[in-house]
Amino acid sequence: MHMIIDKTRPVMVTGASGYIANWIVKLLLEQGCTVHGTVRDPNNEKSVAPLKKIAAAAPQGSLKLFKADLLDKAAFDAPMQGCEVVIHTASPFVVRGFKDAKEALIRPAVEGTRNVLEAVNRTQSVKRVVLTSSVAAVFGDNADLKKNPRGIFNEEDWNFSSSETHQPYSYSKFLAEKEAWKIHDAQQRWQLVTINPSMVGGPALTRNSASTSIDTLRGLGNGRLWPGVPFMRLAWVDVRDVAQAHVEAAFRPDAEGRHILSNGEPSMLEVANILRRHFGTAYKFPVFELPKFLVKWFGRFMDSSATPKFIEQNAGHDLKFDNTRSRQRLGIQYRPLEQTFVDHFQQLLDDGLIRKK
Ligand code: NAP
């Protein structure tokens, strides 16, 4: 359905302090929008200082911050007042370091989505919701591709293999997107557009994000994954392209449905080789691929999320995503991944998150 969005009305962005959301806020402000950003703690300088800096550099727009925790049912009504578009990005992206997946991931993802969308149902001005979902809602393990009749994942696919105990982050994203469609389908006023990015890379505007994205590339350069990595493909996309997709999804009159955002599936060693070419051999980038049996039995000592089942279902398997819809319907022109990795690693060095050599 064709829907004209009034860009002079405020746009709400949940989790504005996050890695991806920072870039979305920046693009919106640069277009002259008024942004209502929600953060968990507006007094936490570490999380709001980067946002203030982004706003100061884009005086054509204006940014107003509101306090909202995902588990607080009433927190989203005030920032939503007068908005036609709500961009819901907030959701924990952690894959280790927690005891209870339900409390750490599933509850905030699913209840948070419900709380935001119930506030949308109460707020008559809202015409469209853009939800930051993930390819984690599309697939669970790389091995699932073998069961895919097309041999490539697209927007018709849903994750069927994750659970509370196996890939709980992916499960949280699957449940949250399902919940969003259920609430959307029960009404007629507002549209739902989902952005389903693969692993996001590229420079961060904040040093404070706990996003696994940042941790993953850091692990390739700080020696944690040295000398060897499993043969494992990960799908990647640039954070600037992901932010652009959210903005297109917010304002294009005919935007609707799901959109995979992904720009290729290099193996971990291929990413390391790109980094070594640009930054030299002084950094401890992995240099070879480890046999699967070795990673299967010792992987957990390097990374608690690398269980034998995870390795079995992900190492040594193909992975392929179809990004046609994002290019055709949102007009995304993907940056080369090489630029994504190089810019990201350079920023980790500049921020002191990896020691310069
Ligand atoms: P991030 O930097 O960790 O951002 C997550 C955001 O969620 C932060 O703003 C965080 O707020 C907020 N949040 C977490 N728990 C919350 C709670 N209980 N109440 C309120 N806010 C809460 O990670 P990101 O990579 O930008 O992720 C943003 C979104 O993109 C998530 O929905 C994630 O699932 C999705 N995504 C990410 C990737 C990726 O590779 N990065 C790929 C696909 C999808 P605080 O600042 O207060 O912690």
Side-chain angles (χ1 to χ4, degrees):
M1 195 179 57
H2 208 73
M3 182 156 315
I4 302 295
I5 302 290
D6 180 356
K7 288 173 87 171
T8 66
R9 305 282 291 267
V11 177
M12 176 170 159
V13 179
T14 70
S17 50
Y19 168 49
I20 297 173
N22 271 189
W23 277 101
I24 298 173
V25 170
K26 178 177 156 65
L27 295 185
L28 290 170
L29 294 175
E30 285 171 355
Q31 294 203 8
C33 296
T34 298
V35 177
H36 288 183
T38 72
V39 292
R40 248 191 292 199
D41 180 5
N43 296 319
N44 178 349
E45 263 311 297
K46 274 194 185 154
S47 90
V48 298
L51 278 168
K52 290 182 182 160
K53 202 169 149 194
I54 291 165
Q60 57 276 50
S62 77
L63 173 67
K64 199 169 164 198
L65 294 179
F66 296 76
K67 180 182 168 71
D69 191 288
L70 285 169
L71 298 177
D72 181 349
K73 277 186 190 319
F76 296 99
D77 292 85
M80 214 175 274
Q81 288 315 301
C83 297
E84 288 192 354
V85 174
V86 169
I87 303 180
H88 177 38
T89 83
S91 205
F93 182 24
V94 285
V95 295
R96 61 173 154 262
F98 53 82
K99 284 210 176 79
D100 182 349
K102 211 168 178 167
E103 282 306 308
L105 291 165
I106 295 167
R107 245 188 97 206
V110 179
E111 277 181 37
T113 299
R114 198 179 300 140
N115 289 339
V116 171
L117 296 185
E118 283 174 356
V120 168
N121 275 341
R122 290 190 291 271
T123 310
Q124 293 303 315
S125 60
V126 179
K127 291 180 170 175
R128 185 177 286 173
V129 173
V130 180
L131 173 76
T132 317
S133 184
S134 171
V135 291
V138 171
F139 90 119
D141 293 312
N142 294 10
D144 298 348
L145 190 63
K146 283 204 195 79
K147 296 187 184 140
N148 188 297
R150 277 172 259 104
I152 186 164
F153 292 117
N154 73 13
E155 286 83 357
E156 285 169 32
D157 295 313
W158 286 93
N159 181 339
F160 57 79
S161 60
S162 299
S163 69
E164 225 172 281
T165 51
H166 177 66
Q167 302 257 50
Y169 165 71
S170 299
Y171 192 50
S172 78
K173 295 302 284 182
F174 162 75
L175 292 176
E177 194 190 324
K178 278 282 180 193
E179 184 69 14
W181 283 111
K182 193 172 112 199
I183 299 170
H184 165 268
D185 292 349
Q187 58 79 52
Q188 308 262 306
R189 174 175 33 91
W190 50 272
Q191 297 176 318
L192 180 61
V193 188
T194 73
I195 301 299
N196 299 66
S198 55
M199 181 66 91
V200 180
L205 300 169
T206 173
R207 293 182 58 181
N208 196 45
S209 164
S211 176
T212 297
S213 273
I214 293 166
D215 195 45
T216 303
L217 210 70
R218 197 167 155 204
L220 280 178
N222 67 3
R224 182 161 61 85
L225 298 172
W226 187 85
V229 275
F231 169 56
M232 190 150 82
R233 294 194 180 280
L234 258 183
W236 287 89
V237 61
D238 196 285
V239 67
R240 296 159 285 194
D241 296 337
V242 173
Q244 186 65 40
H246 282 79
V247 175
E248 300 294 336
F251 297 134
R252 285 193 176 223
D254 57 350
E256 60 180 349
R258 309 177 86 197
H259 302 83
I260 287 173
L261 261 286
S262 188
N263 191 28
E265 303 83 6
S267 69
M268 293 170 83
L269 190 62
E270 281 165 357
V271 178
N273 288 342
I274 290 174
L275 293 174
R276 190 174 16 257
R277 256 200 324 275
H278 281 266
F279 296 96
T281 48
Y283 297 95
K284 284 187 152 183
F285 301 122
V287 282
F288 59 81
E289 276 164 352
L290 295 163
K292 187 164 171 175
F293 77 91
L294 209 66
V295 188
K296 202 163 152 188
W297 297 116
F298 297 105
R300 258 177 308 180
F301 299 108
M302 294 191 291
D303 180 340
S304 60
S305 64
T307 62
K309 182 174 174 188
F310 174 84
I311 298 297
E312 181 54 47
Q313 299 290 29
N314 290 282
H317 294 279
D318 257 346
L319 183 64
K320 199 97 199 100
F321 288 95
D322 184 351
N323 66 12
T324 311
R325 209 177 131 87
S326 65
R327 289 187 281 110
Q328 290 181 345
R329 297 194 48 100
L330 300 178
I332 300 302
Q333 293 182 309
Y334 288 96
R335 281 173 174 74
L337 278 184
E338 179 149 353
Q339 187 190 341
T340 306
F341 299 131
V342 169
D343 290 356
H344 194 158
F345 197 77
Q346 185 61 52
Q347 184 243 328
L348 293 174
L349 295 175
D350 293 344
D351 281 355
L353 293 171
I354 289 182
R355 202 142 46 88
K356 273 190 184 150
K357 301 217 160 118

